[in-house]
Amino acid sequence: MPEFEIQHYVQNKLLKNFAVKSDNGKYKIQIIDLKDKKVVEKNTDRAFWVKNLYDVENNEDVKKLEKDLNEKIEKPFNEILDRLTTEIKDTFTITRRELEIIKKYLLIQQYRSLKNSLSYNENCKKDEVLSRYNIRENETQLDFWKREMQTILDNSLEDLITKLDLVGVKQKTSSIFSDFLMFVHTCDEFVINDLGYVTERVPVKIDISPEEYGKITEEIGKQLYGADGFGKNAEQRALNQTEYMDNFMFFPVSSDLAIMSVDKFWKLLSFVKKADITKLEIPNTVLLSKHFSLPKNKYVNQKLMKKPKDFQKYQSQNDKFIYQIHELDEDDTIYINNLLINEAHQFIGYKTKDKVMPSIYVYVMKQMYNVENVKNDLTFVLEDFDSKNV
């Protein structure tokens, strides 16, 4: 196949961390195919990809986006990933420059998946998609999707928020920018889905009227993103009691390591006095109730930082952030794997059958008992294993 035609939506380098190296030097990953209902073994270079997915036909170089994904974000992220996966200790230290690389990688992963590309549908309701604010005349939804990714690759996170007007990008960037990271390890194994991540999303109770909630959300939308129309959808969510909060996004980066991007709410909550916490309605979270830490910071210009505004003024790309690596137990891992399985579009990858089977058994049990929001059918996986006697 010609160069750059195989375009991964979960990069090959990362997939190798969920695979076993064979005698011929190829990395083999086990793939659960939800559509064709089978379990197969594949080389990682032939998993989680679509031919010419990122080609931009009106570019001088139609492969520019694919090349930039590799050069501008995957390669610098992989240098950090190599350190993380080979230097497994109690803590992990990164610089401010590396923190931006990680956050931008997590941001672009939210965009680049096949499932997300399918949401950019020409038949979608225009008043419900953020592309309506910025899509150009005669530009298709998919072309707009590619322009959003190229814009992310070409700009710093701060510029995406403050200098550019792509509303959808600004909204996602603002979230990832204000979130804080956590790193987790398991002695079991994580699966990897074809999104490359999953979100812990929980319902939120709105104590004010839907109309008032809509007005507040509309004003926030105008202030943060310079756009209107946020209030209408928020009012409808409040009316239907479908409003939600994303506690964290979970990005497995190997079969035993993951990066979490945690909502800033939990940072603010950590500063609230215990006496005041009882006054708050705390969103439910399985993982953060057991594992929580903020990074310890070492600033190059610490002595100059005497007031809150000084932290922005004197920050350095060489500032250091030291993260605790949290150890997840089997129950934690099963919980996360079930989230990853539930949100998979078609494919789920894993390394070792025996280590992921507990997660699959629990998910199938949820199917049998008709647990709410179980989306995928995994019963064929158990039948496949039984038939192969593995």
Side-chain angles (χ1 to χ4, degrees), residues 103-120:
K103 287 194 170 188
K104 184 178 280 191
Y105 183 92
L106 304 187
L107 174 63
I108 205 72
Q109 189 59 51
Q110 295 175 63
Y111 272 91
R112 69 183 295 181
S113 72
L114 175 62
K115 182 178 180 179
N116 189 47
S117 74
L118 296 175
S119 71
Y120 284 70

Side-chain angles (χ1 to χ4, degrees), residues 229-293:
F230 283 88
K232 178 182 177 182
N233 291 332
E235 182 178 336
Q236 194 62 46
R237 292 195 301 272
L239 185 64
N240 297 336
Q241 297 184 359
T242 57
E243 189 58 286
Y244 60 85
M245 171 181 172
D246 291 339
N247 285 325
F248 60 80
M249 290 179 287
F250 191 95
F251 297 81
V253 294
S254 77
S255 59
D256 62 351
L257 285 165
I259 303 173
M260 294 172 61
S261 182
V262 184
D263 190 272
K264 63 182 178 299
F265 169 83
W266 294 99
K267 181 190 293 186
L268 298 173
L269 187 62
S270 69
F271 297 122
V272 176
K273 294 180 180 179
K274 289 184 178 180
D276 295 329
I277 290 180
T278 55
K279 301 176 183 178
L280 300 174
E281 184 170 336
I282 309 300
N284 180 47
T285 174
V286 173
L287 221 57
L288 295 179
S289 61
K290 296 171 62 178
H291 307 280
F292 179 85
S293 67

